[in-house]
Amino acid sequence: MFPFTPCRIQKLCFCTESLQCGTGSGWVLNIVPVLYDRTLLSVHPIRLHLLVPDSQSILPPWQLQIKDSVSEKTIGLMRMQFWKKTVDDIYSDNPPHQPVAIELWKAVRRHNLTKRWLMKIIDEREKNLDDKAYRNIQELENYAENTQSSLLYLTLEILGIKDLHADHAASHIGKAQGIVTCLRATPYHGSRRRVFLPMDICMLHGVSQEDFLRKSQDRNVRDVVYDVASQAHLHLKHARSFHRSVPVKAFPAFLQTVALEDYLKKIQQVDFDLFHPSLQRKNTLLPLSLYIQSWRKRY
């Protein structure tokens, strides 16, 4: 157990501010598991530091990507190399003097976190620096598995969960998170003349990237959104099918399903119009929904 010295409290505050400033409404989702173990304050910010150039950004998480914040791919690669070396140094008990890195080092020592999950997040972010659309839904799912799911595996390790059913649920929830993030990001990316939705589904419905850039509301465009959203819903359904087998102690790690379900319901209500203004509004009742789901011992 590491004592909460003034120096450590300062570092924890830095991690907390990174979470709060970097994730918008997602702050609520990230902080829930932290209430069960403060060590999580060191794990979630590393994702944000891989996504953003600094911790002071107020943009929502789906807008915070290194490839969106640098003018040259080389700069993004340098940041990835920094975190690769940082993780190597952490596992060599020689962390750099950086608040997130130091707290992450303490988390690794305390919980024996698996290095592979951290490296997968970094490696996948590095591969994703190129502005290319996903070739198919499987490629998007692989990206989500290596980033979002890996973060959930680390969260489970910190919560002391070693359970096959929990791992399966984490895998599906991470994939659902990645797909929903891709959908939510589409209007923003479109404003920068980029589209990342799976090309195979677009081709299936005869939809071009230009259709999304023009914010087309044609039926075939909505069909693309429907197919992608349906895949996220399917992963969410699979994850919840393990509900009775997953240890209750793991549920706080999975409460992001509340926000995922909320978005999927809203996009259905607007008939899969990805550019409907209501989809960009924050849900002020989300904290209440989280509380109810937690009280019901569900995810």
Side-chain angles (χ1 to χ4, degrees):
M1 180 69 67
F2 296 96
F4 283 89
T5 62
C7 183
R8 190 185 183 209
I9 291 174
Q10 186 178 20
K11 294 184 180 69
L12 286 173
C13 286
F14 178 89
C15 293
T16 305
E17 289 170 3
S18 295
L19 264 180
Q20 191 170 12
C21 294
T23 59
S25 60
W27 153 253
V28 179
L29 296 173
N30 284 323
I31 203 61
V32 170
V34 173
L35 298 177
Y36 292 80
D37 195 315
R38 294 179 185 177
T39 311
L40 285 160
L41 278 173
S42 63
V43 174
H44 284 272
I46 190 174
R47 177 187 62 179
L48 299 176
H49 281 260
L50 290 172
L51 295 171
V52 294
D54 58 71
S55 62
Q56 300 306 314
S57 177
I58 58 172
L59 294 173
W62 54 91
Q63 297 183 14
L64 302 176
Q65 298 190 21
I66 284 180
K67 65 182 180 184
D68 289 335
S69 61
V70 297
S71 57
E72 297 181 9
K73 181 181 177 182
T74 304
I75 300 176
L77 289 172
M78 288 172 61
R79 290 180 181 146
M80 293 302 178
Q81 289 302 317
F82 165 78
W83 278 107
K84 281 186 177 181
K85 185 178 185 304
T86 295
V87 171
D88 285 335
D89 290 343
I90 283 172
Y91 281 86
S92 298
D93 279 335
N94 185 33
H97 293 289
Q98 200 266 6
V100 174
I102 291 174
E103 288 303 315
L104 183 60
W105 168 67
K106 291 176 181 178
V108 168
R109 289 183 62 190
R110 181 179 179 185
H111 298 282
N112 194 27
L113 300 182
T114 303
K115 181 180 179 181
R116 180 173 74 257
W117 304 133
L118 289 168
M119 295 305 294
K120 275 194 170 187
I121 296 173
I122 298 171
D123 289 340
E124 196 65 33
R125 296 293 188 199
E126 185 175 20
K127 288 191 296 183
N128 198 245
L129 286 176
D130 292 320
D131 292 333
K132 295 180 180 179
Y134 298 103
R135 290 175 296 179
N136 48 55
I137 192 70
Q138 290 76 24
E139 194 171 271
L140 172 55
E141 289 175 335
N142 289 338
Y143 175 77
E145 168 70 27
N146 290 329
T147 53
Q148 303 289 352
S149 297
S150 291
L151 185 66
L152 285 174
Y153 299 146
L154 288 168
T155 303
L156 290 175
E157 287 185 348
I158 288 176
L159 293 176
I161 307 297
K162 292 184 178 180
D163 182 84
L164 186 61
H165 296 294
D167 289 343
H168 283 164
S171 176
H172 285 293
I173 292 171
K175 289 174 182 176
Q177 175 78 62
I179 294 171
V180 167
T181 299
C182 186
L183 286 171
R184 294 185 68 171
T186 298
Y188 168 74
H189 288 143
S191 69
R192 300 170 70 90
R193 298 201 61 78
R194 286 178 286 184
V195 179
F196 295 102
L197 292 171
M199 291 188 293
D200 63 335
I201 297 179
C202 291
M203 292 174 62
L204 178 66
H205 295 285
V207 175
S208 67
Q209 290 191 350
E210 189 63 31
D211 290 322
F212 284 100
L213 297 179
R214 291 189 294 103
K215 300 183 179 181
S216 171
Q217 297 184 6
D218 292 345
R219 185 70 259 172
N220 56 343
V221 173
R222 293 173 187 248
D223 288 341
V224 170
V225 177
Y226 169 81
D227 284 356
V228 177
S230 294
Q231 193 67 14
H233 175 76
L234 190 61
H235 282 298
L236 202 55
K237 184 178 178 180
H238 283 326
R240 286 174 167 168
S241 70
F242 298 108
H243 172 262
R244 296 186 183 278
S245 303
V246 172
V248 175
K249 190 179 177 183
F251 287 7
F254 298 156
L255 284 177
Q256 66 198 82
T257 56
V258 175
L260 299 180
E261 184 179 40
D262 176 69
Y263 179 81
L264 292 174
K265 283 183 177 179
K266 287 197 296 185
I267 203 171
Q268 183 180 24
Q269 290 169 357
V270 297
D271 194 23
F272 302 97
D273 175 9
L274 200 55
F275 302 98
H276 197 279
S278 65
L279 297 179
Q280 302 302 321
R281 300 192 195 112
K282 292 182 180 179
N283 181 1
T284 56
L285 296 178
L286 181 59
L288 177 61
S289 299
L290 283 167
Y291 173 78
I292 293 174
Q293 200 77 329
S294 178
W295 177 74
R296 294 174 59 199
K297 296 291 189 294
R298 303 291 296 271
Y299 64 83

